[in-house]
Amino acid sequence: MGKYLMHLRFFRLIVCLALILGVAPIVAPQFVSQPAYAANVSRVVIRGNQRVEDETILSYMQLGVGDNIDDELVDESIKSLFQTGLFRDVGIVRQGTSLIVTVSENPLINVVNIEGNKDIDDETLLKEVEARERIIFTKARVASDTRRLLGVYQKQGFYNVTITPKMIRLPENRINLVFEVNEGGKTHINQINFSGNDNFSDGDLKDVIVTKEYSQIFFFKRNTTFDADRLAYDKELLRRYYLKNGFADVQIVSADPRVADDGDGFIIDFVVEEGPRYDVADVAINIGDSNLQPDALRAKVKTGVGDTYDASKVDKSVENLTLEASKQGFVFAKVDPRVDRNPDGKTVNIVYDISEGPRTYVERIDIAGNTRTLDHVIRRELRLFEGDAYNRALVERARRRLTAMDFFTKVDFREEEGSAPDKIVLVVEVEEKNTGELTFSIGYSTVETVVGAVGVSERNLFGRGWQAKLNTSLSFKKQQVDFSFTEPYFMGMPISAGIDLFANNIDNEDASSFTSQQIGGALRTGFRLDEFSSLSFKYLIAFRDVKGIDVDTASPAVIAEEGNSLKSAIGSAYTYDDLDNPLKPTSGLRAQLETEVAGLGGDAQYGLVEARAWWFMSFLDEKVTLKLEANAGHIEPFSNDGLPLQDRFFKGADSFRGFAQSGIGPKQIGNDGEFDSIGAENYAIGTVEMIFPLWGIPEEWGLEGAVFSDFGTVFGTDEESVAAGGVNCAGDGVFAGDCTVFDSTNIRAAVGAGLIWQSPFGPLRIEAAYPVLKEDFDETEKFRFSIGTRF
């Protein structure tokens, strides 16, 4: 019986399993096809939001009222709400057919502060922070800001810096965000090593790179901290240096930083593979079928047979040949240099292939980098317009004009592809510089002792190219104020217009026994004649007074000039200028011819002509600059009254180093037995000066030396006018009856040396000069220095 019951149960189990397996395929799809929440959403309830509106939250959800409740859509809704950055927590649960959305909002930033920073100011750091007042706080944004702040510090060598963001909670779910900074001090470079440099010493290569070793003695040295970008630039500088010195196969294998063994500072290891040094065996120019003039082209080639190979001279030759070909009408010239190496003989053959490149036209001109200077101020100097044929000669001239403006530290022209193969986009990329200048100068002379001057100027006022200048000169002997304003493109035309105002009070008691006062102004205009020359005109009017004369001590020539006078004059000036760089020229000529005629009303009647010229050339890869300067002038009276004292030439000091202001030229003895400078009608002064680096002194110190010689003569006076004005030379004075003028055409000369330092406060120049040729009645000045700074 028991076995029967057991078999019966087993049979029932088999039947049930068979029924289940048979029915399952039929009913299963009905259940599988239904979602986990079979019902539709009847309503959505939002909880926890304070600032964010319900409608905003609903707009980010992937399902709403009437939609089927689906787990995937719920998950997508949660992700979408998180991605808004508005919430730090989001939850969605079902209550029957309702969805309950619970959010926890991120706080609103009330204020962002930086604390603990000393070496980098708040303004610099806050520029890198994306978190701002009245935006939503998110951990991701703050973490990103922290990384950027660390990058700013590491750029300046602070590798031990730590930055901790902190929140100060406020009512209404607001916070103050504070980045706490522990700068930890700069991490300097303690040592720079080179390996593989068989032809150059470590010291030679250290002078090439920008990165420098830190020294506690020379603490003011720059670039002594580790910077990865600077290190990459150093590798390129080393490569260029080797290429410039004949090593055409050089490779800078690596530049690896490592932490010093004591953990304090970095050590930089450079690895170099120099290769052989090559000499130039042959140089050729291939002009193909063009009608170019070979002789003019050969004069532009900088590489010469027998020279050590210099890649920079090859590049310069390509540039010169391209410009020369453009000048000869080959506007689309293309110059390809071929450098064939002979490693066994250690020589190279250089061939410059000149061919007509693709005809290209300027589709568009873009200006970049001008944060202050207005676009039209730059464009008006280009003389190249959209639609013109692309001409490298015009581009080079535009580069020169933009550089001459002295608004930019860098001017680059870059070509980009246009909308068609024969079109280019010309990008003018500039890097602006400080165009305001505050200048201080101090001088010492045997006559005036200490003299000081202060000048303020702005070459690019309001970014419009306007030029304004205010100079003051203050000393025990001289007080002077000058103001000038120039609009280089008056009413949009290539004509300059300007105004000058001036006032001065000069105590010449020691040099000439009188005090001079002057107040007046001038109107100016001018225009360019061509690429290198210009012409300008002016009208000047001035009210003048010569006073403070003591007849018991002054000379007859000075006594005769006492009283008021009016000067009304017109003038013109022609200028030629092809200097390569107006700020620090190394080649080229600048010459100027000025004329002035007084007598359009007023008391002064004369004609004046002055000529000046400066010529520069460089040696030793433009490290040494030779300057030749020449100045000459003549003034001719138009009346029997002679020349007014204030219009004569008084030379010395800056115009003739080694001699004091008014220290050279005609003089007359006063009744006190002292010489009075009475001014000259003629002068001719020349200068030879050489500026050179101080070998052994790192370039980053900004020190240069100068040697010079000033030479010339200052002479001529109308002796009949000396006693004009009813002055009686006879009397009871010490030199009664003596109106003798001490005048000489003899050459005077001085030699000297100076030190120029590009200091943190601006260029400082110290000069000492010694007169080697002089007259007994000349006054000397042996020492002078000046300093200026930019703002």
Side-chain angles (χ1 to χ4, degrees), residues 368-370 407-412 429-434:
N370 55 319
F407 296 172
F408 314 108
T409 57
K410 182 179 70 174
V411 178
D412 288 331
E429 191 169 359
V430 298
E431 184 177 305
E432 294 193 303
K433 67 192 299 184
N434 295 324

Side-chain angles (χ1 to χ4, degrees), residues 233-248:
Y233 180 56
D234 286 337
K235 290 178 65 177
E236 178 61 19
L237 289 177
L238 287 171
R239 189 184 72 86
R240 293 179 188 175
Y241 180 74
Y242 272 97
L243 290 174
K244 188 175 183 179
N245 287 277
F247 295 89

Side-chain angles (χ1 to χ4, degrees), residues 48-78:
N49 55 319
Q50 299 178 11
R51 293 186 309 273
V52 183
E53 299 291 338
D54 289 357
E55 290 77 7
T56 302
I57 297 174
L58 290 172
S59 68
Y60 286 104
M61 292 186 62
Q62 305 301 309
L63 75 171
V65 174
D67 295 335
N68 289 331
I69 301 177
D70 185 285
D71 285 343
E72 291 184 1
L73 294 178
V74 170
D75 290 341
E76 290 297 324
S77 297
I78 293 175

Side-chain angles (χ1 to χ4, degrees), residues 72-369:
E72 291 184 1
L73 294 178
V74 170
D75 290 341
E76 290 297 324
S77 297
I78 293 175
K79 291 179 182 178
S80 179
L81 288 171
F82 266 121
Q83 289 173 355
T84 65
L86 298 172
F87 312 105
R88 65 172 180 267
D89 193 18
V90 177
I92 300 178
V93 296
R94 176 187 176 188
Q95 289 184 359
T97 58
S98 299
L99 289 182
I100 309 301
V101 181
T102 305
V103 297
S104 178
E105 293 180 351
N106 276 321
L108 186 70
I109 298 175
N110 180 59
V111 68
V112 180
N113 286 324
I114 310 287
E115 294 183 356
N117 53 312
K118 297 178 182 177
D119 287 270
I120 303 180
D121 57 44
D122 288 3
E123 182 180 358
T124 302
L125 294 174
L126 287 173
K127 287 180 181 178
E128 301 297 323
V129 176
E130 291 185 354
R132 294 285 188 269
E133 297 177 6
R134 302 190 63 80
I135 70 171
I136 301 299
F137 168 88
T138 66
K139 291 183 179 179
R141 179 181 288 123
V142 172
S144 177
D145 288 342
T146 303
R147 288 192 296 270
R148 277 192 296 273
L149 291 174
L150 287 171
V152 173
Y153 270 98
Q154 290 173 359
K155 273 277 189 182
Q156 298 196 24
F158 292 85
Y159 279 83
N160 296 323
V161 64
T162 59
I163 298 177
T164 306
K166 293 188 175 181
M167 295 185 299
I168 301 174
R169 295 198 175 274
L170 302 173
E172 300 178 357
N173 199 23
R174 294 178 302 120
I175 64 165
N176 287 343
L177 179 60
V178 179
F179 291 93
E180 290 190 353
V181 179
N182 182 1
E183 294 180 336
K186 284 190 174 183
T187 307
H188 292 281
I189 294 174
N190 297 338
Q191 188 175 339
I192 299 176
N193 300 322
F194 294 90
S195 61
N197 52 316
D198 298 326
N199 290 276
F200 298 103
S201 67
D202 287 9
D204 291 335
L205 299 184
K206 287 178 182 178
D207 288 340
V208 173
I209 61 177
V210 176
T211 303
K212 303 299 178 183
E213 293 175 335
Y214 177 71
S215 170
Q216 291 184 344
I217 298 176
F218 301 109
F219 61 89
F220 52 83
K221 288 173 64 177
R222 296 173 292 180
N223 301 325
T224 61
T225 57
F226 172 68
D227 185 329
D229 294 337
R230 189 190 302 137
L231 204 59
Y233 180 56
D234 286 337
K235 290 178 65 177
E236 178 61 19
L237 289 177
L238 287 171
R239 189 184 72 86
R240 293 179 188 175
Y241 180 74
Y242 272 97
L243 290 174
K244 188 175 183 179
N245 287 277
F247 295 89
D249 301 327
V250 66
Q251 293 187 36
I252 310 301
V253 178
S254 62
D256 297 326
R258 55 188 171 93
V259 179
D261 294 338
D262 58 4
D264 184 18
F266 284 95
I267 297 175
I268 309 295
D269 296 314
F270 288 93
V271 179
V272 180
E273 290 183 4
E274 295 181 331
R277 187 197 294 262
Y278 292 91
D279 292 327
V280 178
D282 186 45
V283 178
I285 301 176
N286 178 18
I287 62 175
D289 298 330
S290 65
N291 295 321
L292 296 172
Q293 301 174 14
D295 292 340
L297 293 171
R298 276 191 287 269
K300 300 299 181 180
V301 175
K302 297 296 184 181
T303 52
V305 175
D307 294 346
T308 299
Y309 172 75
D310 185 342
S312 66
K313 289 185 177 180
V314 174
D315 293 338
K316 187 64 177 177
S317 298
V318 170
E319 180 183 340
N320 291 348
L321 290 171
T322 303
L323 293 174
E324 180 61 29
S326 296
K327 291 177 182 178
Q328 293 187 27
F330 211 45
V331 176
F332 300 100
K334 179 183 179 183
V335 180
D336 293 315
R338 286 188 287 116
V339 180
D340 299 323
R341 298 178 178 83
N342 178 11
D344 294 333
K346 298 181 180 180
T347 60
V348 295
N349 296 329
I350 304 174
V351 179
Y352 298 97
D353 292 320
I354 303 178
S355 60
E356 185 173 15
R359 293 179 175 269
T360 53
Y361 299 87
V362 179
E363 179 180 21
R364 191 175 73 251
I365 299 176
D366 292 339
I367 312 294

Side-chain angles (χ1 to χ4, degrees), residues 205 359 475 533 651 738:
L205 299 184
R359 293 179 175 269
S475 72
S533 58
K651 296 297 178 179
D738 188 357

Side-chain angles (χ1 to χ4, degrees), residues 420-434:
D422 64 340
K423 295 180 179 179
I424 66 166
V425 175
L426 184 62
V427 180
V428 184
E429 191 169 359
V430 298
E431 184 177 305
E432 294 193 303
K433 67 192 299 184
N434 295 324

